């Protein structure tokens, strides 16, 4: 139990600093907004991103503004909350300050919710050739590459050259890899099928590589099988138990194969924000901070780590997954702990309990899997549940309405409304994209694991 009340000079003087305005930080701020505290929310971005729909931006189904909202406007009505756009660089837990580039922010309570990023398992040199999907910028870069590949192929074929093979490779068969692969196949088959004259987009070859024995390894086996069937029906070539051992500009090496690819996407690993290590506390292999059952740090009950950055096991000894509901519930939980501690400082803190309402993964139009305890659903009904859950949890009524209209429109017409290529017109490795060839790969083997 932390006797925070004794440290406070007056009620409104309790300073809470929240690092990160993702699902965890934002929910903590909102749940604390009526408490007698002053809250500073620090994020290096000015917007909150609804990450579960990033793949829709990456595949030109939605625009960035439909899945992201300014943090300042989300928290506008809470007068005790200030928002700072700044990069947090470190902490001094003894002096109780958070360091940003320009200043130090003192706190009485600190909530660190800086999330995670993709991990290349020590091969960061692969990132330029195989971008991952975590931010709006990542999604726009993927969209650029995907759309550009079709344009370059059309240009080459229109100029009388051979129609180059349009291979798209997705590494990692977790939920992000599955939804990217399924949607890419769908775009090629339907949305773009009639828009080109010299190439046939429907002959695009989408390959999904998964290092483990099945896609969606966090789901029940029957749902993994169903997901793989649904992907194959969309035309995706799925390789399980397949290690990627090298990625270069325009080509992926796996098993004994070197596959040339117009676009390579990385959805194979997650590492916690480096801010976790800055706290100077023990972390797990993914860099997540090992927290107490109340989500605080050992020896620092005034510091909480929540969301994707925290490592905590449930009552059965299973590590809590890095998903939005865990982050949301943890944000609300620490806010409650702080509120209760301020009103009755002697109260013993409860332990965090995750209420698992089920998991949903989408694959494409009317294709998804859903696991609600013992109830397993596949196909259209799972997809419908996925659709409504995602619209419901999107931030802001306007976004919900816009996304609903967009989805209804594209369901009927197969159109993807955000097909804009912005930025550079270079595609890594494009000049090398002749006919696909097979060579022996480099020796080092990397596990193409699952995203999220
Ligand atoms: C592509 C993708 C799809 C996903 N799909 C699903 C899904 O379908 N269902 C589901 O439940 N979960 C899904 N997830 C996982 C889910 O989005 C995460 O579990 C959730 O976002 C974690 O919330 P968080 O608040 O811990 O971190 P985040 O939401 O990542 O927020 C972290 C925040 O911290 C900020 N930040 C980081 N470092 C600093 C710094 N140094 N200084 C200042 N600010 C900083 C970031 O800008 C960000 O705003 C998906 C994730 C991805 C990437």
């Amino acid at each position: 139990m932390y006797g925070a009340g004794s440290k406070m000079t007056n009620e409104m003087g309790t300073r809470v600093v929240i690092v990160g305005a993702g699902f965890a930080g934002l929910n903590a701020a909102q749940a604390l907004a009526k408490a007698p505290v002053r809250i500073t929310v620090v994020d290096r971005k000015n917007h909150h991103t609804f990450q579960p729909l990033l793949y829709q931006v990456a595949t030109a189904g939605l625009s960035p503004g439909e899945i992201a909202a300014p943090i300042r406007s989300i928290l506008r009505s809470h007068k005790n909350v200030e928002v700072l756009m700044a990069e947090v660089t470190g902490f001094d837990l003894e002096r109780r300050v958070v360091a940003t580039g320009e200043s130090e922010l003192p706190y009485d309570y600190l909530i660190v919710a800086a999330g995670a990023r993709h991990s290349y398992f020590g091969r960061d040199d692969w990132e330029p050739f195989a971008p991952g999907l975590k931010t709006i910028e990542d999604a726009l870069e993927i969209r650029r590459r995907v759309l550009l590949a079709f344009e370059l192929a059309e240009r080459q074929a229109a100029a009388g050259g051979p129609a180059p093979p349009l291979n798209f490779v997705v590494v990692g068969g977790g939920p992000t890899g599955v939804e990217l692969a399924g949607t890419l196949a769908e775009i090629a088959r339907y949305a773009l099928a009639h828009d080109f004259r010299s190439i046939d987009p429907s002959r695009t070859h989408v390959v999904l590589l998964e290092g483990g024995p099945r896609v969606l390894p966090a789901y029940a086996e029957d749902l993994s099988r169903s997901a793989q069937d649904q992907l194959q029906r969309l035309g995706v070539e799925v390789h399980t138990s397949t290690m990627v051992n090298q990625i270069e500009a325009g080509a992926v090496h796996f098993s004994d194969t070197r596959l040339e690819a117009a676009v390579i996407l990385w959805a194979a690993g997650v590492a916690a924000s480096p801010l976790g290590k800055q706290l100077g506390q023990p972390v797990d292999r993914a860099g997540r901070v090992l927290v107490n059952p109340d989500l605080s740090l050992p020896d620092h009950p005034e510091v909480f780590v929540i969301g994707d950055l925290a490592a905590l096991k449930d009552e059965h000894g299973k590590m809590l997954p890095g998903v939005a509901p865990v982050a949301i519930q943890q944000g609300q939980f620490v806010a409650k702990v702080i509120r209760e501690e301020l009103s009755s400082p002697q109260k013993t803190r409860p332990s965090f309990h995750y209420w698992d309402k089920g998991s949903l993964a989408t694959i494409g139009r009317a294709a998804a899997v859903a696991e609600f305890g013992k109830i397993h659903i596949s196909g259209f009904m799972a997809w419908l549940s996925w659709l409504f859950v995602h619209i419901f949890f999107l931030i802001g009524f306007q976004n919900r309405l816009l996304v609903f209209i967009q989805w209804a429109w594209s369901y009927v017409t197969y159109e993807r409304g955000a097909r804009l290529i912005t930025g550079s017109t270079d595609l890594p490795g494009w000049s090398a994209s002749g006919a696909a060839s097979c060579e022996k790969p480099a020796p080092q083997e990397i596990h193409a694991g699952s995203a999220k």
Side-chain angles (χ1 to χ4, degrees), residues 19-26 42-45 47-55 71 84 86-90 112-118 133-135 175-176 179-180 219 270 273-275 306-310 321-328 330 354 360-362 386 390 452:
V19 179
F23 287 105
L26 208 53
V42 196
D43 200 296
R44 60 180 167 206
K45 306 271 184 204
H47 53 270
H48 165 83
T49 303
F50 191 81
Q51 292 171 14
L53 290 183
L54 271 173
Y55 85 98
I71 299 163
L84 290 182
E87 173 103 26
V88 170
T89 50
V112 188
R117 248 200 100 69
H118 26 262
L133 182 59
K134 182 70 186 173
T135 61
T176 300
E179 64 199 10
L180 278 171
Y219 286 68
V270 169
S273 156
L275 273 190
I306 58 175
D308 281 4
L309 188 55
V323 292
V326 171
I328 292 170
Q330 291 187 337
Y354 171 50
L360 295 152
T362 183
W386 178 91
H390 283 76
K452 289 186 213 172

Side-chain angles (χ1 to χ4, degrees), residues 57 80 93 95 119 121 137 192 194 198 214 229 232 250 257 261 271 304 312 340 388 392 397 408 425 432 435:
V57 175
N80 62 338
L93 299 191
R95 287 173 50 232
S119 156
F121 306 112
E137 289 84 350
L192 301 181
H194 307 295
S198 301
R214 57 191 176 102
D229 289 347
Q232 284 163 341
T257 308
F304 298 92
L312 182 68
E340 287 182 354
F388 280 106
F392 182 76
F397 175 74
T425 50

Side-chain angles (χ1 to χ4, degrees), residues 162-245:
L166 273 176
N167 293 336
F168 290 159
V169 176
V170 180
V171 184
T176 300
V178 163
E179 64 199 10
L180 278 171
T183 314
L184 286 176
E186 218 173 60
I187 295 178
R189 267 193 178 185
Y190 304 111
L192 301 181
H194 307 295
D195 289 11
F196 292 83
R197 299 293 168 260
S198 301
I199 59 163
D200 177 2
S202 67
R203 295 183 62 196
T204 302
H205 192 199
V206 181
V207 179
L208 177 65
L209 305 176
E210 162 60 36
R214 57 191 176 102
V215 298
L216 299 182
Y219 286 68
E221 277 188 42
D222 58 316
L223 293 178
S224 289
R225 271 196 306 277
S226 166
Q228 182 158 342
D229 289 347
Q230 294 182 65
L231 281 167
Q232 284 163 341
R233 273 203 295 277
L234 281 169
V236 177
E237 189 178 310
V238 181
H239 293 254
T240 50
S241 304
T242 298
M243 310 294 182
V244 167
N245 41 47

